[in-house]
Amino acid sequence: IKVAKKLKKIVVPSASSGKDVVKDFSLKDASIEVVHNGIDLGFFYPSDKPYEDYKILSIASSDVPMKGLDFMIKAFPEIKKNYPKAKLSVLGKIREEGHTERLINSLDLKDDINFVSGLSHSELREQYCSSHVVVIPSLYEGFGFPAAEAMACGTPIISSNSSALPEIVQDFGQLYEPGNSDALKECIENFYLNRPSYKNLAQEGSLYANETFNWEKIALDYEERFIETIDKFNSCYNLCWSCFRL
């Protein structure tokens, strides 16, 4: 906090995280500028292979409440009633006898939810591309890498309307009220009823992700801000030195 108050410019990966920095560090005069994070588009891109029908991929660390996995799990039994073929995969590792495992057992979902972890980039891409829809139920994200990665892969996305996620998803996916299992269920069922329109959105989202989360573009954005800051510093230094000499 002491250092942050002395900085004239702070670069953040989202406007949402910028607001948090200002609030948490009690900043008033700092210049907050947004430069999104990038993703490796050499790994994350659409596949020609068909997706697995009714496969839902949720991106959430188990036993970390902020990631919102509980709400996806609680919504799933109702989804299964209307869509018996629905299956849920979760990117993350479940903790033995932890909160998430107890919740799954209480809802009798042990055979319906699959956890996958320790994946390579290519295996992660395969998970995105093979999914019918990606769900991000997180309650807070400073940026939201999974959203950007899923979009780059051209997979339809449903995300909580929380923190930085709306900035990443934009209008290329469906947003729902964070922490609301009923709203999430309705979004997923709406997706199953309107798959063609979601697929079109996903294709547009893939193009957007390639333009927006491109590391080359982002590196140039950073370079521009560094040079601008250095030029201002040099100008002030030269002015001060001139005054000192006078």
Short mmCIF file of all heavy atoms in Angstrom, two decimals, residues 107-166:
data_model
loop_
_atom_site.label_atom_id
_atom_site.label_comp_id
_atom_site.label_asym_id
_atom_site.label_seq_id
_atom_site.Cartn_x
_atom_site.Cartn_y
_atom_site.Cartn_z
N LEU A 107 -26.29 -35.07 -2.91
CA LEU A 107 -27.21 -34.92 -4.05
C LEU A 107 -27.22 -36.15 -4.95
O LEU A 107 -27.86 -36.14 -6.01
CB LEU A 107 -26.81 -33.68 -4.87
CG LEU A 107 -26.94 -32.32 -4.15
CD1 LEU A 107 -26.35 -31.20 -5.00
CD2 LEU A 107 -28.39 -32.02 -3.81
N ASP A 108 -26.49 -37.18 -4.52
CA ASP A 108 -26.42 -38.44 -5.27
C ASP A 108 -25.94 -38.22 -6.71
O ASP A 108 -26.53 -38.71 -7.67
CB ASP A 108 -27.80 -39.13 -5.27
CG ASP A 108 -27.71 -40.59 -5.70
OD1 ASP A 108 -26.63 -41.18 -5.56
OD2 ASP A 108 -28.73 -41.13 -6.19
N LEU A 109 -24.85 -37.47 -6.83
CA LEU A 109 -24.32 -37.14 -8.15
C LEU A 109 -22.94 -37.75 -8.41
O LEU A 109 -22.27 -37.37 -9.37
CB LEU A 109 -24.22 -35.61 -8.31
CG LEU A 109 -25.53 -34.83 -8.32
CD1 LEU A 109 -25.25 -33.33 -8.31
CD2 LEU A 109 -26.37 -35.20 -9.54
N LYS A 110 -22.54 -38.67 -7.56
CA LYS A 110 -21.19 -39.21 -7.64
C LYS A 110 -20.86 -39.77 -9.02
O LYS A 110 -19.74 -39.65 -9.51
CB LYS A 110 -21.01 -40.30 -6.57
CG LYS A 110 -19.59 -40.82 -6.47
CD LYS A 110 -19.44 -41.82 -5.33
CE LYS A 110 -18.01 -42.31 -5.23
NZ LYS A 110 -17.86 -43.30 -4.11
N ASP A 111 -21.85 -40.39 -9.67
CA ASP A 111 -21.60 -41.02 -10.97
C ASP A 111 -21.85 -40.07 -12.14
O ASP A 111 -21.69 -40.46 -13.30
CB ASP A 111 -22.50 -42.26 -11.13
CG ASP A 111 -22.19 -43.34 -10.10
OD1 ASP A 111 -21.02 -43.44 -9.68
OD2 ASP A 111 -23.13 -44.06 -9.69
N ASP A 112 -22.24 -38.83 -11.84
CA ASP A 112 -22.61 -37.90 -12.90
C ASP A 112 -21.62 -36.76 -13.10
O ASP A 112 -21.76 -35.98 -14.04
CB ASP A 112 -23.99 -37.30 -12.61
CG ASP A 112 -25.09 -38.35 -12.60
OD1 ASP A 112 -25.20 -39.08 -13.59
OD2 ASP A 112 -25.80 -38.44 -11.59
N ILE A 113 -20.65 -36.64 -12.19
CA ILE A 113 -19.70 -35.53 -12.27
C ILE A 113 -18.28 -36.08 -12.33
O ILE A 113 -17.87 -36.89 -11.50
CB ILE A 113 -19.85 -34.57 -11.07
CG1 ILE A 113 -21.27 -34.01 -11.00
CG2 ILE A 113 -18.85 -33.42 -11.17
CD1 ILE A 113 -21.52 -33.09 -9.83
N ASN A 114 -17.54 -35.60 -13.32
CA ASN A 114 -16.17 -36.06 -13.53
C ASN A 114 -15.20 -34.90 -13.31
O ASN A 114 -15.38 -33.81 -13.86
CB ASN A 114 -16.03 -36.57 -14.97
CG ASN A 114 -14.62 -37.00 -15.29
OD1 ASN A 114 -13.98 -37.69 -14.50
ND2 ASN A 114 -14.12 -36.59 -16.44
N PHE A 115 -14.17 -35.11 -12.49
CA PHE A 115 -13.15 -34.09 -12.23
C PHE A 115 -11.89 -34.43 -13.02
O PHE A 115 -11.44 -35.58 -13.03
CB PHE A 115 -12.83 -34.01 -10.74
CG PHE A 115 -13.87 -33.31 -9.93
CD1 PHE A 115 -15.03 -33.97 -9.55
CD2 PHE A 115 -13.72 -31.98 -9.57
CE1 PHE A 115 -16.01 -33.33 -8.81
CE2 PHE A 115 -14.69 -31.32 -8.83
CZ PHE A 115 -15.84 -32.00 -8.45
N VAL A 116 -11.33 -33.43 -13.69
CA VAL A 116 -10.09 -33.63 -14.44
C VAL A 116 -9.08 -32.55 -14.03
O VAL A 116 -9.44 -31.39 -13.83
CB VAL A 116 -10.33 -33.57 -15.97
CG1 VAL A 116 -11.09 -34.79 -16.44
CG2 VAL A 116 -11.09 -32.31 -16.36
N SER A 117 -7.82 -32.94 -13.88
CA SER A 117 -6.79 -31.98 -13.46
C SER A 117 -5.44 -32.42 -13.99
O SER A 117 -5.30 -33.52 -14.54
CB SER A 117 -6.75 -31.87 -11.92
OG SER A 117 -6.44 -33.13 -11.34
N GLY A 118 -4.44 -31.57 -13.81
CA GLY A 118 -3.09 -31.88 -14.25
C GLY A 118 -2.97 -32.00 -15.76
O GLY A 118 -2.19 -32.83 -16.26
N LEU A 119 -3.71 -31.17 -16.50
CA LEU A 119 -3.74 -31.28 -17.95
C LEU A 119 -2.65 -30.45 -18.62
O LEU A 119 -2.29 -29.38 -18.13
CB LEU A 119 -5.11 -30.82 -18.48
CG LEU A 119 -6.34 -31.52 -17.92
CD1 LEU A 119 -7.60 -30.91 -18.54
CD2 LEU A 119 -6.29 -33.01 -18.19
N SER A 120 -2.18 -30.92 -19.74
CA SER A 120 -1.28 -30.12 -20.59
C SER A 120 -2.13 -29.10 -21.33
O SER A 120 -3.37 -29.16 -21.32
CB SER A 120 -0.56 -31.02 -21.59
OG SER A 120 -1.49 -31.59 -22.50
N HIS A 121 -1.48 -28.16 -22.02
CA HIS A 121 -2.23 -27.17 -22.79
C HIS A 121 -3.09 -27.84 -23.86
O HIS A 121 -4.24 -27.45 -24.07
CB HIS A 121 -1.27 -26.17 -23.46
CG HIS A 121 -0.80 -25.09 -22.55
ND1 HIS A 121 0.42 -25.13 -21.92
CD2 HIS A 121 -1.39 -23.94 -22.16
CE1 HIS A 121 0.55 -24.04 -21.19
NE2 HIS A 121 -0.53 -23.30 -21.31
N SER A 122 -2.55 -28.84 -24.53
CA SER A 122 -3.31 -29.50 -25.59
C SER A 122 -4.50 -30.27 -25.01
O SER A 122 -5.58 -30.31 -25.61
CB SER A 122 -2.40 -30.44 -26.40
OG SER A 122 -1.82 -31.42 -25.56
N GLU A 123 -4.31 -30.88 -23.85
CA GLU A 123 -5.41 -31.61 -23.21
C GLU A 123 -6.48 -30.64 -22.70
O GLU A 123 -7.67 -30.95 -22.75
CB GLU A 123 -4.87 -32.45 -22.05
CG GLU A 123 -4.03 -33.63 -22.49
CD GLU A 123 -3.30 -34.30 -21.34
OE1 GLU A 123 -3.00 -33.61 -20.33
OE2 GLU A 123 -3.00 -35.51 -21.46
N LEU A 124 -6.04 -29.47 -22.23
CA LEU A 124 -6.99 -28.45 -21.78
C LEU A 124 -7.83 -27.96 -22.95
O LEU A 124 -9.05 -27.82 -22.85
CB LEU A 124 -6.24 -27.29 -21.12
CG LEU A 124 -7.09 -26.12 -20.61
CD1 LEU A 124 -8.14 -26.59 -19.63
CD2 LEU A 124 -6.19 -25.06 -19.96
N ARG A 125 -7.16 -27.69 -24.07
CA ARG A 125 -7.89 -27.28 -25.28
C ARG A 125 -8.90 -28.34 -25.69
O ARG A 125 -10.04 -28.02 -26.07
CB ARG A 125 -6.91 -27.03 -26.42
CG ARG A 125 -7.62 -26.79 -27.76
CD ARG A 125 -6.64 -26.56 -28.90
NE ARG A 125 -7.35 -26.49 -30.16
CZ ARG A 125 -7.50 -27.51 -31.01
NH1 ARG A 125 -6.97 -28.70 -30.73
NH2 ARG A 125 -8.17 -27.35 -32.14
N GLU A 126 -8.51 -29.60 -25.60
CA GLU A 126 -9.41 -30.69 -25.97
C GLU A 126 -10.66 -30.69 -25.10
O GLU A 126 -11.76 -30.96 -25.57
CB GLU A 126 -8.68 -32.03 -25.85
CG GLU A 126 -9.48 -33.21 -26.36
CD GLU A 126 -8.70 -34.51 -26.33
OE1 GLU A 126 -7.46 -34.46 -26.37
OE2 GLU A 126 -9.34 -35.57 -26.25
N GLN A 127 -10.48 -30.38 -23.80
CA GLN A 127 -11.63 -30.30 -22.90
C GLN A 127 -12.58 -29.18 -23.33
O GLN A 127 -13.80 -29.37 -23.37
CB GLN A 127 -11.16 -30.07 -21.46
CG GLN A 127 -10.57 -31.29 -20.78
CD GLN A 127 -11.63 -32.35 -20.49
OE1 GLN A 127 -12.79 -32.06 -20.25
NE2 GLN A 127 -11.22 -33.60 -20.53
N TYR A 128 -12.01 -28.02 -23.65
CA TYR A 128 -12.84 -26.91 -24.11
C TYR A 128 -13.59 -27.27 -25.39
O TYR A 128 -14.80 -27.08 -25.51
CB TYR A 128 -11.98 -25.67 -24.37
CG TYR A 128 -11.49 -24.94 -23.16
CD1 TYR A 128 -10.15 -24.58 -23.03
CD2 TYR A 128 -12.36 -24.55 -22.15
CE1 TYR A 128 -9.68 -23.88 -21.91
CE2 TYR A 128 -11.90 -23.86 -21.03
CZ TYR A 128 -10.56 -23.52 -20.93
OH TYR A 128 -10.11 -22.84 -19.83
N CYS A 129 -12.84 -27.76 -26.36
CA CYS A 129 -13.41 -28.00 -27.69
C CYS A 129 -14.41 -29.15 -27.72
O CYS A 129 -15.31 -29.17 -28.57
CB CYS A 129 -12.28 -28.26 -28.69
SG CYS A 129 -11.23 -26.83 -29.01
N SER A 130 -14.25 -30.11 -26.82
CA SER A 130 -15.16 -31.26 -26.81
C SER A 130 -16.43 -30.99 -26.02
O SER A 130 -17.33 -31.84 -25.98
CB SER A 130 -14.46 -32.50 -26.22
OG SER A 130 -14.16 -32.30 -24.84
N SER A 131 -16.51 -29.82 -25.40
CA SER A 131 -17.67 -29.50 -24.56
C SER A 131 -18.77 -28.82 -25.36
O SER A 131 -18.50 -28.02 -26.27
CB SER A 131 -17.25 -28.60 -23.40
OG SER A 131 -16.29 -29.26 -22.60
N HIS A 132 -20.00 -29.14 -24.99
CA HIS A 132 -21.16 -28.50 -25.61
C HIS A 132 -21.25 -27.05 -25.16
O HIS A 132 -21.58 -26.16 -25.94
CB HIS A 132 -22.42 -29.27 -25.21
CG HIS A 132 -23.52 -29.18 -26.19
ND1 HIS A 132 -24.56 -30.07 -26.23
CD2 HIS A 132 -23.75 -28.31 -27.20
CE1 HIS A 132 -25.39 -29.74 -27.22
NE2 HIS A 132 -24.92 -28.68 -27.81
N VAL A 133 -20.95 -26.82 -23.88
CA VAL A 133 -20.99 -25.47 -23.32
C VAL A 133 -20.03 -25.41 -22.13
O VAL A 133 -19.83 -26.40 -21.43
CB VAL A 133 -22.42 -25.09 -22.87
CG1 VAL A 133 -22.92 -26.01 -21.77
CG2 VAL A 133 -22.50 -23.63 -22.44
N VAL A 134 -19.40 -24.25 -21.94
CA VAL A 134 -18.51 -24.02 -20.79
C VAL A 134 -19.22 -23.09 -19.81
O VAL A 134 -19.77 -22.06 -20.22
CB VAL A 134 -17.17 -23.40 -21.24
CG1 VAL A 134 -16.38 -22.90 -20.03
CG2 VAL A 134 -16.35 -24.42 -22.01
N VAL A 135 -19.23 -23.47 -18.54
CA VAL A 135 -19.87 -22.68 -17.49
C VAL A 135 -18.82 -22.20 -16.51
O VAL A 135 -18.03 -22.98 -15.99
CB VAL A 135 -20.94 -23.50 -16.75
CG1 VAL A 135 -21.50 -22.71 -15.57
CG2 VAL A 135 -22.06 -23.91 -17.69
N ILE A 136 -18.81 -20.88 -16.26
CA ILE A 136 -17.89 -20.30 -15.29
C ILE A 136 -18.72 -19.66 -14.17
O ILE A 136 -19.24 -18.55 -14.34
CB ILE A 136 -16.97 -19.26 -15.95
CG1 ILE A 136 -16.18 -19.94 -17.07
CG2 ILE A 136 -16.01 -18.65 -14.92
CD1 ILE A 136 -15.30 -19.02 -17.87
N PRO A 137 -18.86 -20.36 -13.03
CA PRO A 137 -19.74 -19.88 -11.96
C PRO A 137 -19.03 -19.02 -10.92
O PRO A 137 -19.58 -18.74 -9.86
CB PRO A 137 -20.22 -21.19 -11.33
CG PRO A 137 -19.05 -22.11 -11.48
CD PRO A 137 -18.37 -21.72 -12.77
N SER A 138 -17.82 -18.60 -11.21
CA SER A 138 -16.99 -17.89 -10.23
C SER A 138 -17.66 -16.63 -9.69
O SER A 138 -18.35 -15.91 -10.40
CB SER A 138 -15.65 -17.52 -10.88
OG SER A 138 -14.81 -16.90 -9.95
N LEU A 139 -17.44 -16.38 -8.40
CA LEU A 139 -17.96 -15.18 -7.75
C LEU A 139 -17.00 -14.02 -7.85
O LEU A 139 -17.38 -12.88 -7.62
CB LEU A 139 -18.25 -15.49 -6.27
CG LEU A 139 -19.24 -16.63 -6.00
CD1 LEU A 139 -19.42 -16.81 -4.50
CD2 LEU A 139 -20.57 -16.37 -6.68
N TYR A 140 -15.75 -14.31 -8.18
CA TYR A 140 -14.77 -13.22 -8.36
C TYR A 140 -13.64 -13.67 -9.27
O TYR A 140 -13.09 -14.76 -9.11
CB TYR A 140 -14.17 -12.77 -7.02
CG TYR A 140 -13.19 -11.62 -7.22
CD1 TYR A 140 -13.66 -10.31 -7.30
CD2 TYR A 140 -11.83 -11.85 -7.40
CE1 TYR A 140 -12.78 -9.26 -7.54
CE2 TYR A 140 -10.95 -10.81 -7.65
CZ TYR A 140 -11.43 -9.52 -7.71
OH TYR A 140 -10.57 -8.48 -7.96
N GLU A 141 -13.30 -12.81 -10.21
CA GLU A 141 -12.14 -13.01 -11.08
C GLU A 141 -11.52 -11.64 -11.36
O GLU A 141 -12.21 -10.71 -11.74
CB GLU A 141 -12.52 -13.66 -12.41
CG GLU A 141 -13.03 -15.08 -12.32
CD GLU A 141 -11.96 -16.09 -11.95
OE1 GLU A 141 -10.76 -15.76 -12.10
OE2 GLU A 141 -12.32 -17.20 -11.52
N GLY A 142 -10.21 -11.55 -11.16
CA GLY A 142 -9.52 -10.31 -11.49
C GLY A 142 -9.38 -10.13 -12.99
O GLY A 142 -9.27 -9.01 -13.50
N PHE A 143 -9.38 -11.26 -13.71
CA PHE A 143 -9.35 -11.24 -15.17
C PHE A 143 -10.31 -12.30 -15.70
O PHE A 143 -11.39 -11.99 -16.16
CB PHE A 143 -7.93 -11.46 -15.70
CG PHE A 143 -7.86 -11.59 -17.20
CD1 PHE A 143 -8.12 -10.50 -18.00
CD2 PHE A 143 -7.56 -12.81 -17.80
CE1 PHE A 143 -8.10 -10.61 -19.40
CE2 PHE A 143 -7.51 -12.93 -19.19
CZ PHE A 143 -7.78 -11.83 -19.99
N GLY A 144 -9.94 -13.55 -15.63
CA GLY A 144 -10.81 -14.62 -16.11
C GLY A 144 -10.21 -15.38 -17.29
O GLY A 144 -10.78 -15.39 -18.38
N PHE A 145 -9.05 -16.02 -17.06
CA PHE A 145 -8.39 -16.78 -18.13
C PHE A 145 -9.29 -17.85 -18.76
O PHE A 145 -9.33 -17.98 -19.98
CB PHE A 145 -7.11 -17.42 -17.62
CG PHE A 145 -5.95 -16.47 -17.55
CD1 PHE A 145 -5.54 -15.94 -16.34
CD2 PHE A 145 -5.27 -16.08 -18.70
CE1 PHE A 145 -4.48 -15.05 -16.27
CE2 PHE A 145 -4.21 -15.19 -18.64
CZ PHE A 145 -3.80 -14.68 -17.43
N PRO A 146 -10.02 -18.66 -17.95
CA PRO A 146 -10.85 -19.70 -18.56
C PRO A 146 -11.88 -19.15 -19.54
O PRO A 146 -12.15 -19.77 -20.57
CB PRO A 146 -11.54 -20.36 -17.35
CG PRO A 146 -10.60 -20.11 -16.22
CD PRO A 146 -10.04 -18.76 -16.48
N ALA A 147 -12.44 -17.98 -19.23
CA ALA A 147 -13.42 -17.39 -20.15
C ALA A 147 -12.76 -17.04 -21.47
O ALA A 147 -13.29 -17.34 -22.55
CB ALA A 147 -14.04 -16.14 -19.52
N ALA A 148 -11.60 -16.42 -21.42
CA ALA A 148 -10.88 -16.04 -22.63
C ALA A 148 -10.45 -17.28 -23.42
O ALA A 148 -10.54 -17.31 -24.66
CB ALA A 148 -9.67 -15.18 -22.29
N GLU A 149 -9.99 -18.31 -22.72
CA GLU A 149 -9.54 -19.55 -23.39
C GLU A 149 -10.70 -20.26 -24.06
O GLU A 149 -10.59 -20.71 -25.22
CB GLU A 149 -8.86 -20.46 -22.37
CG GLU A 149 -7.54 -19.91 -21.86
CD GLU A 149 -7.02 -20.64 -20.63
OE1 GLU A 149 -7.75 -21.52 -20.09
OE2 GLU A 149 -5.90 -20.33 -20.19
N ALA A 150 -11.83 -20.37 -23.36
CA ALA A 150 -13.00 -21.04 -23.94
C ALA A 150 -13.51 -20.27 -25.16
O ALA A 150 -13.88 -20.86 -26.18
CB ALA A 150 -14.11 -21.15 -22.89
N MET A 151 -13.51 -18.94 -25.06
CA MET A 151 -13.95 -18.12 -26.19
C MET A 151 -13.04 -18.33 -27.39
O MET A 151 -13.50 -18.47 -28.53
CB MET A 151 -13.97 -16.65 -25.79
CG MET A 151 -15.09 -16.29 -24.84
SD MET A 151 -14.92 -14.61 -24.18
CE MET A 151 -15.14 -13.63 -25.67
N ALA A 152 -11.73 -18.35 -27.16
CA ALA A 152 -10.78 -18.55 -28.25
C ALA A 152 -10.99 -19.89 -28.94
O ALA A 152 -10.76 -20.03 -30.14
CB ALA A 152 -9.35 -18.44 -27.72
N CYS A 153 -11.44 -20.89 -28.16
CA CYS A 153 -11.69 -22.23 -28.72
C CYS A 153 -13.03 -22.31 -29.44
O CYS A 153 -13.36 -23.34 -30.02
CB CYS A 153 -11.64 -23.27 -27.61
SG CYS A 153 -9.98 -23.58 -26.96
N GLY A 154 -13.80 -21.22 -29.39
CA GLY A 154 -15.08 -21.21 -30.10
C GLY A 154 -16.17 -22.01 -29.42
O GLY A 154 -17.13 -22.44 -30.07
N THR A 155 -16.05 -22.20 -28.09
CA THR A 155 -17.05 -22.95 -27.34
C THR A 155 -18.06 -22.00 -26.72
O THR A 155 -17.67 -21.00 -26.12
CB THR A 155 -16.37 -23.78 -26.23
OG1 THR A 155 -15.34 -24.59 -26.80
CG2 THR A 155 -17.38 -24.69 -25.54
N PRO A 156 -19.35 -22.28 -26.83
CA PRO A 156 -20.36 -21.42 -26.18
C PRO A 156 -20.08 -21.31 -24.68
O PRO A 156 -19.64 -22.27 -24.05
CB PRO A 156 -21.67 -22.18 -26.44
CG PRO A 156 -21.42 -22.93 -27.70
CD PRO A 156 -19.97 -23.35 -27.63
N ILE A 157 -20.37 -20.14 -24.12
CA ILE A 157 -19.99 -19.89 -22.73
C ILE A 157 -21.15 -19.26 -21.95
O ILE A 157 -21.87 -18.41 -22.47
CB ILE A 157 -18.74 -18.98 -22.67
CG1 ILE A 157 -18.25 -18.80 -21.24
CG2 ILE A 157 -18.98 -17.65 -23.32
CD1 ILE A 157 -16.89 -18.13 -21.16
N ILE A 158 -21.32 -19.74 -20.72
CA ILE A 158 -22.25 -19.17 -19.75
C ILE A 158 -21.42 -18.77 -18.55
O ILE A 158 -20.64 -19.58 -18.03
CB ILE A 158 -23.34 -20.17 -19.34
CG1 ILE A 158 -24.22 -20.52 -20.55
CG2 ILE A 158 -24.19 -19.62 -18.21
CD1 ILE A 158 -25.20 -21.65 -20.28
N SER A 159 -21.55 -17.54 -18.11
CA SER A 159 -20.70 -17.04 -17.03
C SER A 159 -21.50 -16.22 -16.03
O SER A 159 -22.49 -15.57 -16.39
CB SER A 159 -19.58 -16.18 -17.63
OG SER A 159 -18.89 -15.47 -16.62
N SER A 160 -21.05 -16.24 -14.79
CA SER A 160 -21.66 -15.36 -13.80
C SER A 160 -21.33 -13.92 -14.17
O SER A 160 -20.27 -13.63 -14.73
CB SER A 160 -21.13 -15.68 -12.40
OG SER A 160 -19.76 -15.37 -12.29
N ASN A 161 -22.25 -13.03 -13.85
CA ASN A 161 -22.08 -11.61 -14.15
C ASN A 161 -21.34 -10.97 -12.97
O ASN A 161 -21.90 -10.14 -12.24
CB ASN A 161 -23.45 -10.97 -14.37
CG ASN A 161 -23.36 -9.57 -14.88
OD1 ASN A 161 -22.29 -9.10 -15.28
ND2 ASN A 161 -24.47 -8.85 -14.87
N SER A 162 -20.08 -11.37 -12.79
CA SER A 162 -19.35 -10.99 -11.59
C SER A 162 -17.97 -10.45 -11.92
O SER A 162 -17.29 -10.95 -12.82
CB SER A 162 -19.21 -12.21 -10.67
OG SER A 162 -18.37 -11.95 -9.58
N SER A 163 -17.57 -9.43 -11.18
CA SER A 163 -16.22 -8.84 -11.24
C SER A 163 -15.79 -8.60 -12.68
O SER A 163 -16.47 -7.92 -13.43
CB SER A 163 -15.21 -9.72 -10.47
OG SER A 163 -15.30 -11.08 -10.86
N ALA A 164 -14.65 -9.19 -13.12
CA ALA A 164 -14.12 -8.90 -14.46
C ALA A 164 -14.76 -9.74 -15.57
O ALA A 164 -14.56 -9.44 -16.75
CB ALA A 164 -12.61 -9.13 -14.47
N LEU A 165 -15.53 -10.75 -15.22
CA LEU A 165 -16.04 -11.67 -16.24
C LEU A 165 -16.89 -11.00 -17.33
O LEU A 165 -16.72 -11.33 -18.51
CB LEU A 165 -16.81 -12.81 -15.58
CG LEU A 165 -15.92 -13.80 -14.80
CD1 LEU A 165 -16.76 -14.75 -13.96
CD2 LEU A 165 -15.03 -14.58 -15.77
N PRO A 166 -17.78 -10.06 -17.00
CA PRO A 166 -18.53 -9.40 -18.08
C PRO A 166 -17.63 -8.64 -19.05
O PRO A 166 -17.95 -8.54 -20.24
CB PRO A 166 -19.45 -8.42 -17.33
CG PRO A 166 -19.54 -8.96 -15.95
CD PRO A 166 -18.22 -9.61 -15.67
#
